[in-house]
Amino acid sequence: MSHLETGPNPSSAASGGPDLLVSEFLQAEFAFMVLDFDAELRFVGGACALPGGAAGQAPCPAGARLAHLFTPSDLERLEPLIVAALQARPGAIKITSGYGAETRTLKLGVLPRCQGDGAGPAGLVLTIEDVTQRLESRLRLEALEDRLRAILSHAADAVIVIDTEGRIELANGAAERLTGWVAGDLVGSPITVLMEEPFRSSHQGQIERYLEFGDSGILNVGPRPFPLLRRNGATLPIELSVGEAFIAGERKFIGVCRDISQRLEKDEALRSANAALRHKISELQAVSQGLEAQKLALERLAADNAAARAEAERANQAKSRFLATMSHELRTPLNGILAVSEALGRRGLPPADQELVEIISSSGQGLLSILNEILDLSRVEAGQLQIEPRLFSPREAVRAVAEVWRFAAEAKGLELRVQTRGLAAPRIGDAQRLRQILSNLVNNAIKFTDRGAITLRARPVAQGQRLRFEVIDSGPGVAPHDRERLFEPFVQADSERTRRHGGAGLGLAICRELAGLMGGRIWVEPTPNGGACFVVDLPLALAEAAPARPPSGEPAVAAGRRMQDPRILVAEDHPLNRLVASIILQEAGLRFDFAEDGVAAVEAVTGGGYDLVLMDVNMPRMDGLEATRHIRALASPMRGIPIVAVTANAAPEEVEACLRAGMTAFVAKPIRAGDLLEVLTAALSAADSVRPD
């Protein structure tokens, strides 16, 4: 019969259930059982409890056998060991006992129990050891080692571990690539195989000094450069960090190495470049010292020139202001002289007296013409003359000039010819200034031509983007050395002709300034017959069609109907300007009130009842820009009232300042009725379109 045959289970009656497993009896990590030759339990030692008895009690209940403690599969594995132990051959196996989360790993040892007289085995000793935690710890340690091995194998830096004797215990893949050694050859070798003198001789002494005194000079002090000796005998510059660690209770030293050869090469290249740069800088400094002296001399010269230029500009501005003031002061008495002379000429005076009146009238007209030219030139020099681009017909402008001067030409027996080709399309430009230029040129041509013809010609050039105007005469022409200076103020080409024909020499200077303001230029060319050809080249953009404008005399009525009886506030401090505004608005049939400054304008708008504000810019107490900002800060609906700027300064920056302040539109002084009413109509219509029902 087998040694593990089962008999009556002593625990069956007590437990009323199946046979128990050994894990249910084991109370601690270790216990043992003594069995007789037939594998019956005789004694239980350690923390193990069997049915019917307490832990550690002996003998066991009669009839207890191993079959009561193990599963059939475990008994099958245990039986060969029992047989071998009875033949004096000990053995051991591992089994898994329990269920689910209570599963435990047990180590079973089977030893022979000899008789006291040495006559052979008297039974068995079965040892039971719970190795569950030990096995789990070993598995965790193996997983940790696997992770550490993977990290080291993929690390970019070389890692070398040595013991206190200076022998290499570990080297990762990066260490193999860095040193040229295979890791298997490095492990067990002294670390000095990677060192050259004098580091090789002093290394072990440094370890011993550290172990004895705790001072090494290289441990835990951060990366430092070091020459690594490779297997092929070459040295490689590395950056070395050495740290201390305790592994399994033993002191180890861990070195982390990084190849810095490329970095050192870059550093050396940078040092060389810096040295070259410093040399270049020293050369430039030498040159700079010479240039500095020249710079100081030039700065002194520039300062002198700037002072002279500023003085000249101040003098020129003073001259312009003086000329403008004198022109305005002289215009009033001249208007009186001309008006009286014209009145006397209509009274049928005797011939001798009539001749005196004509002399007075002619002299007054000449003086008035000179004053007008001086005033225009002073405005140009002071930057006060503004170009006002509008839609116009160049053909009509040229023909209008010709009609004005046709009688003067015929009076001298001259033929005035007009040629306009390709001028049917409207253009955008300042028609008034263009007529002024052409009138001046035609007047000069008539004045200095005694016989023949004068031609006024206009045609498009530069693919139609510019217009070329020419005034050609059959007079004496202009000498080459006079063609440039002829456009300077108070210059005439021929003093004899000047005395004979009169004039101050300002007309051509004004023409040049006006052409420049319009983005063009003017010059004079000789003609084949010896005369002169004055050329004006201007950029006048094409326009598709002229905007619909109400005929003269109709704007007030039409605008008044469209505005539906609005109420307008006029913010203006000057009495004359208020008079002009009242004449225009009264003729248009509009209701209006005056505010003498910005403060009064804000108060009036705050009170309500106004549909639009005509806002002067320069006013006492509060100017128009500040007043507009105050109105835009009011509560609705007052804050949305249209505000039209009215100012004598029509420069682009002035217009931009008005729009930034919140104004709706812009009208330049002197005010023209048609322009003002057109702006009012547009502003009120726009406001009406956004006003809620």
Side-chain angles (χ1 to χ4, degrees):
M1 184 175 77
S2 169
H3 295 286
L4 299 181
E5 286 183 355
T6 60
N9 187 346
S11 65
S12 299
S15 64
D19 293 343
L20 299 176
L21 300 178
V22 68
S23 59
E24 300 181 31
F25 299 106
L26 188 63
Q27 304 296 314
E29 292 186 359
F30 183 81
F32 67 93
M33 301 178 182
V34 179
L35 298 89
D36 60 14
F37 192 80
D38 293 326
E40 292 186 0
L41 295 176
R42 296 303 179 190
F43 186 84
V44 176
C48 185
L50 292 177
Q57 290 181 344
C60 295
R65 304 182 65 85
L66 291 181
H68 302 151
L69 304 177
F70 298 98
T71 64
S73 60
D74 291 338
L75 288 174
E76 186 176 353
R77 295 178 58 203
L78 188 60
E79 183 174 4
L81 296 179
I82 293 175
V83 172
L86 292 176
Q87 297 175 2
R89 297 196 308 274
I93 62 171
K94 287 188 179 70
I95 66 172
T96 300
S97 180
Y99 302 96
E102 300 297 328
T103 301
R104 301 162 69 184
T105 302
L106 307 177
K107 180 180 178 181
L108 305 180
V110 183
L111 304 174
R113 181 169 66 86
C114 299
Q115 297 185 20
D117 56 3
L124 304 170
V125 176
L126 178 64
T127 63
I128 306 173
E129 183 179 4
D130 189 345
V131 295
T132 304
Q133 293 184 355
R134 188 191 312 168
L135 182 60
E136 291 175 353
S137 298
R138 189 179 70 185
L139 292 176
R140 286 195 298 269
L141 182 59
E142 289 176 352
L144 181 61
E145 289 177 349
D146 290 341
R147 286 195 296 271
L148 180 60
R149 190 176 297 107
I151 293 172
L152 290 176
S153 64
H154 291 86
D157 292 337
V159 179
I160 300 175
V161 180
I162 65 172
D163 59 16
T164 54
E165 299 298 324
R167 296 203 169 271
I168 299 174
E169 291 189 351
L170 182 144
N172 66 350
E176 292 182 343
R177 294 187 294 273
L178 190 70
T179 64
W181 289 81
V182 177
D185 296 337
L186 277 178
V187 174
S189 300
I191 189 64
T192 52
V193 300
L194 303 178
M195 300 179 183
E196 60 178 1
E197 293 297 347
F199 304 102
R200 180 181 300 168
S201 301
S202 62
H203 179 264
Q204 191 59 32
Q206 291 177 339
I207 293 181
E208 293 174 357
R209 184 168 58 254
Y210 174 73
L211 294 176
E212 183 175 358
F213 301 107
D215 178 24
S216 69
I218 62 172
L219 280 173
N220 304 316
V221 295
R224 67 187 185 99
F226 186 83
L228 178 74
L229 181 63
R230 306 187 80 241
R231 185 169 188 173
N232 60 7
T235 57
L236 181 71
I238 65 169
E239 193 175 67
L240 174 65
S241 299
V242 181
E244 182 183 21
F246 286 87
I247 302 175
E250 296 183 2
R251 190 193 307 266
K252 306 294 179 184
F253 301 106
I254 302 173
V256 179
C257 311
R258 177 175 296 175
D259 183 0
I260 60 172
S261 57
Q262 291 186 357
R263 189 181 76 187
L264 294 179
E265 290 175 0
K266 293 180 180 178
D267 291 345
E268 181 60 30
L270 182 59
R271 282 192 294 271
S272 299
N274 286 337
L277 181 60
R278 285 192 296 270
H279 178 69
K280 193 66 176 178
I281 290 174
S282 63
E283 292 180 347
L284 292 175
Q285 286 174 342
V287 176
S288 176
Q289 291 175 356
L291 294 176
E292 188 66 25
Q294 298 181 24
K295 175 187 173 184
L296 293 176
L298 291 174
E299 287 178 348
R300 287 192 294 269
L301 180 60
D304 294 341
N305 290 338
R309 184 169 58 252
E311 183 63 28
E313 289 177 354
R314 285 193 295 271
N316 186 57
Q317 292 173 358
K319 179 197 69 174
S320 299
R321 289 193 297 270
F322 171 76
L323 292 175
T325 302
M326 292 305 297
S327 296
H328 283 86
E329 291 298 326
L330 292 175
R331 185 178 299 276
T332 300
L334 274 175
N335 286 334
I337 292 172
L338 293 174
V340 170
S341 64
E342 290 177 358
L344 290 174
R346 292 191 295 269
R347 291 188 178 184
L349 298 175
D353 294 338
Q354 185 67 35
E355 184 178 358
L356 294 176
V357 171
E358 290 177 0
I359 292 174
I360 294 173
S361 178
S362 176
S363 299
Q365 289 288 352
L367 186 56
L368 180 60
S369 177
I370 293 173
L371 285 176
N372 286 334
E373 291 177 345
I374 291 175
L375 180 59
D376 281 343
L377 185 61
S378 66
R379 291 177 64 197
V380 170
E381 292 178 346
Q384 298 174 349
L385 188 61
Q386 301 293 328
I387 298 300
E388 299 180 3
R390 295 177 181 273
L391 207 60
F392 77 104
S393 169
R395 175 184 292 172
E396 295 301 324
V398 170
R399 290 179 176 176
V401 171
E403 289 301 319
V404 169
W405 293 103
R406 186 174 303 280
F407 295 104
E410 292 176 353
K412 290 189 66 174
L414 302 175
E415 180 184 1
L416 181 57
R417 304 167 182 166
V418 179
Q419 298 176 1
T420 55
R421 293 183 300 171
L423 300 185
R427 302 270 176 161
I428 297 177
D430 194 327
Q432 178 184 352
R433 297 304 175 185
L434 174 61
R435 288 192 296 267
Q436 184 177 354
I437 294 174
L438 296 180
S439 293
N440 208 323
L441 295 179
V442 173
N443 180 27
N444 279 350
I446 295 173
K447 184 187 301 183
F448 293 102
T449 302
D450 295 328
R451 58 181 177 273
I454 297 171
T455 302
L456 175 57
R457 183 164 62 194
R459 56 190 172 88
V461 294
Q463 290 78 43
Q465 298 302 311
R466 308 177 72 88
L467 293 185
R468 177 185 174 102
F469 301 90
E470 298 173 345
V471 177
I472 307 168
D473 63 53
S474 57
V478 181
H481 62 274
D482 289 330
R483 289 173 188 166
E484 284 298 326
R485 59 187 293 270
L486 193 62
F487 294 96
E488 298 295 330
F490 306 104
V491 170
Q492 286 283 5
D494 190 319
S495 59
E496 177 64 26
R497 289 202 304 274
T498 301
R499 286 193 298 271
R500 182 154 51 94
H501 299 291
L506 293 175
L508 292 180
I510 294 174
C511 289
R512 183 185 64 176
E513 297 296 337
L514 292 176
L517 288 174
M518 297 170 70
R521 60 193 186 99
I522 183 173
W523 69 93
V524 60
E525 298 175 348
T527 63
N529 61 3
C533 175
F534 286 83
V535 182
V536 182
D537 182 87
L538 298 175
L540 299 174
L542 282 166
E544 294 299 328
R549 296 171 63 95
S552 178
E554 294 183 5
V557 178
R561 287 198 302 267
R562 287 195 298 269
M563 295 177 192
Q564 297 180 353
D565 195 25
R567 187 180 177 195
I568 298 173
L569 177 67
V570 181
E572 175 61 66
D573 65 304
H574 198 284
L576 181 58
N577 291 333
R578 290 202 296 270
L579 178 60
V580 172
S582 64
I583 292 173
I584 296 174
L585 297 177
Q586 283 175 354
E587 290 180 352
L590 299 175
R591 295 183 300 152
F592 60 91
D593 295 314
F594 285 111
E596 295 187 355
D597 53 42
V599 174
V602 174
E603 292 175 351
V605 173
T606 304
Y610 292 102
D611 300 293
L612 183 142
V613 179
L614 287 178
M615 183 74 74
D616 186 24
V617 174
N618 297 315
M619 292 185 294
R621 292 210 296 169
M622 180 186 293
D623 63 26
L625 300 179
E626 186 64 22
T628 299
R629 284 189 281 266
H630 277 71
I631 292 173
R632 293 303 183 221
L634 297 175
S636 296
M638 284 81 74
R639 65 187 301 174
I641 186 172
I643 302 176
V644 178
V646 181
T647 178
N649 191 349
E653 57 271 17
E654 181 77 11
V655 176
E656 181 64 24
C658 292
L659 297 178
R660 283 200 306 268
M663 295 185 180
T664 308
F666 185 95
V667 175
K669 295 177 181 177
I671 302 173
R672 291 186 288 191
D675 293 342
L676 178 61
L677 294 176
E678 182 180 354
V679 171
L680 293 182
T681 300
L684 289 169
S685 298
D688 186 64
S689 66
V690 299
R691 184 179 295 118
D693 294 336

